[in-house]
Amino acid sequence: ATPPHVTAVGATQGPESGEPEIACSSSTGGGITTGGGFSGVFSRPSWQDSQVANYLKNGPDLPPTSMFHSSGRGYPDVAAMGHNYPIVVGGSTYAGSGTSASTPVVAGMVTLINAKRIMAGKSTLGFLNPALYQLDSSAFHDITSGKNNCAAGAQGSATCCQYGFT
């Protein structure tokens, strides 16, 4: 999800159980851990410069800069609830977690916005990323708690690294 022409979606958890919203992680009961960080392949696009510079200056508990490409494209671009979504497979209901839950939510929201715009005689939103980064910060709720440093696994048995991103 690091190419700059893709709108990368992260996953959060917490409000579904009455808790504060944090990055979805297997270490905090999430079924899987959200992705996020910096690309080692794609340079940071100019439309991310201001927000990423602020994150690098003020971000909570960042790994040492020698451990990531701080000049790379930052991701995700947005996040949505991604924990304990009911998923029906073959008539059975399961609880799903991760970006496989949050990404369709964001896609559905964009689809609804585009439909309203078309009905109003306007064009669709088109390429979202530059516009997302131009919005006033009050349009979003920054997720400043939780980490993406653990692999999938049951709480207490997931493999975790020392470093991650919030």
Side-chain angles (χ1 to χ4, degrees), residues 107-118:
M109 292 168 61
V110 172
T111 299
L112 291 171
I113 293 167
N114 280 335
K116 290 284 190 184
R117 289 180 59 85
I118 289 169

Side-chain angles (χ1 to χ4, degrees), residues 1-31:
T2 65
H5 57 276
V6 171
T7 301
V9 180
T12 64
Q13 69 181 80
E16 78 287 349
S17 59
E19 299 293 327
E21 191 170 19
I22 62 173
C24 190
S25 175
S26 57
S27 68
T28 53

Side-chain angles (χ1 to χ4, degrees), residues 46-114:
S46 61
W47 35 263
Q48 275 192 331
D49 282 340
S50 176
Q51 287 81 357
V52 171
N54 184 55
Y55 174 76
L56 291 172
K57 181 179 177 187
N58 301 306
D61 208 17
L62 291 174
T65 55
S66 62
M67 302 289 292
F68 66 99
H69 298 275
S70 62
S71 62
R73 183 252 201 279
Y75 67 98
D77 299 297
V78 295
M81 292 298 301
H83 182 53
N84 280 345
Y85 273 82
I87 300 169
V88 178
V89 179
S92 297
T93 304
Y94 303 92
S97 290
T99 56
S100 295
S102 60
T103 300
V105 169
V106 172
M109 292 168 61
V110 172
T111 299
L112 291 171
I113 293 167
N114 280 335

